[in-house]
Amino acid sequence: QVQLQESGPGLVKPSQTLSLTCNVSGGSLRSGGYYWTWIRQHPGKGLEWLGYIYYTGNTYYNPSLKSRVTISVDTSKNQFSLRLSSVTAADTAVYYCARRLVNNLFDPWGQGTLVTVSS
Amino acid sequence: QSALTQPASVSGSPGQSITISCSGINSDVGSYNFVSWYQQHPGKAPKVVIYEVSKRPSGVSNRFSGSMSGNTASLTISGLQAEDEAEYFCCSNAGGSTTYWVFGGGTKLTVL
């Protein structure tokens, strides 16, 4: 059973780069047909799809954030990562990693990690 | 692309049925059958309850059902139980492709 776990700093200063890693266990990130995804949830608000990556390195990003988002994959560590540059307070959110399946659902999800942008 | 539109809240008594709507523009909900629904309890990660408009993942109660009419998708929960009280989000591909996804703003279900 695949499980995902986010890790990274919980506090980032404005204008800096937010960096998170998602560790995949119970399955290989190299398994075909899956897209490794980042989604965030602003406090008390809805969900926002940030983007995803295929194990080959092909990436797809939310157009509204495309200039600031980078998702990468490390198949040797069975991990994928998120970098969000030039952060502001508006980027304060719970960040989730998830797996998109071929039948177009996101499952499973990590437990989520709160990232606060503040000086 | 803006988020899909859901009612902020719905409520129902135990045993009753409720329906949550999710409306979107033509290039979102109406173009594909890739709508999914997620249940989120406070402090927990979302969990899928419906995918591809009306399919139910293994392990999800058959009290959950999904449908779509035009540009509006719906989630119906029958035989409401206290454990169903949660936030529900719809999700769809957007932009005329399967490489961009949007979520609804979420609906808080209260079981009275």
Side-chain angles (χ1 to χ4, degrees), chain A residues 47-81:
Chain A
L47 299 163
E48 181 179 26
W49 177 82
L50 301 181
Y52 49 45
I53 189 166
Y54 200 58
Y55 78 95
T56 55
N58 289 354
T59 52
Y60 306 87
Y61 298 131
N62 187 321
S64 67
L65 294 166
K66 189 172 183 177
S67 62
R68 297 197 294 130
V69 173
T70 303
I71 297 175
S72 59
V73 65
D74 187 338
T75 55
S76 67
K77 294 182 179 179
N78 224 31
Q79 295 175 338
F80 62 106
S81 298

Side-chain angles (χ1 to χ4, degrees), chain A residues 41 49 52 96 103-104 106 110, chain B residues 34 38 40 45 98-101:
Chain A
Q41 185 171 32
W49 177 82
Y52 49 45
Y96 293 99
N103 42 8
N104 301 296
F106 296 101
Chain B
F34 295 155
Y38 298 84
Q40 185 180 36
T98 57
T99 56
Y100 173 45
W101 298 82

Side-chain angles (χ1 to χ4, degrees), chain B residues 6-92:
Chain B
Q6 299 179 233
S9 63
V10 299
S11 62
S13 299
Q16 289 185 333
S17 295
I18 63 94
T19 296
I20 300 171
S21 62
C22 171
S23 60
I25 60 176
N26 286 338
S27 63
D28 293 343
V29 176
S31 297
Y32 297 85
N33 289 328
F34 295 155
V35 176
S36 51
W37 289 90
Y38 298 84
Q39 175 192 63
Q40 185 180 36
H41 288 107
K44 300 294 186 181
K47 168 196 163 188
V48 60
V49 293
I50 293 288
Y51 68 100
E52 290 185 341
V53 176
S54 59
K55 298 178 181 178
R56 205 169 41 248
S58 172
V60 173
S61 171
N62 59 10
R63 299 184 297 103
F64 290 83
S65 62
S67 63
M68 189 157 73
S69 177
N71 295 336
T72 299
S74 297
L75 171 70
T76 297
I77 308 173
S78 59
L80 272 179
Q81 299 180 1
E83 67 207 48
D84 299 330
E85 183 163 299
E87 191 92 16
Y88 291 85
F89 297 91
C90 60
C91 176
S92 176

Side-chain angles (χ1 to χ4, degrees), chain A:
Chain A
Q1 181 179 349
V2 172
Q3 292 184 315
L4 307 178
Q5 177 70 58
E6 306 88 351
S7 62
L11 180 65
V12 181
K13 289 182 167 51
S15 80
Q16 293 190 340
T17 296
L18 177 161
S19 295
L20 296 173
T21 296
C22 182
N23 185 66
V24 179
S25 60
S28 174
L29 195 146
R30 274 187 287 249
S31 299
Y34 302 131
Y35 290 83
W36 304 96
T37 305
W38 287 98
I39 293 164
R40 71 181 180 180
Q41 185 171 32
H42 293 103
K45 299 289 180 61
L47 299 163
E48 181 179 26
W49 177 82
L50 301 181
Y52 49 45
I53 189 166
Y54 200 58
Y55 78 95
T56 55
N58 289 354
T59 52
Y60 306 87
Y61 298 131
N62 187 321
S64 67
L65 294 166
K66 189 172 183 177
S67 62
R68 297 197 294 130
V69 173
T70 303
I71 297 175
S72 59
V73 65
D74 187 338
T75 55
S76 67
K77 294 182 179 179
N78 224 31
Q79 295 175 338
F80 62 106
S81 298
L82 169 74
R83 287 172 59 86
L84 181 65
S85 63
S86 305
V87 298
T88 69
D91 295 308
T92 293
V94 175
Y95 288 76
Y96 293 99
C97 58
R99 181 182 65 171
R100 182 203 139 194
L101 307 184
V102 291
N103 42 8
N104 301 296
L105 66 149
F106 296 101
D107 181 73
W109 297 55
Q111 66 183 29
T113 186
L114 174 63
V115 179
T116 300
V117 179
S118 174
S119 55

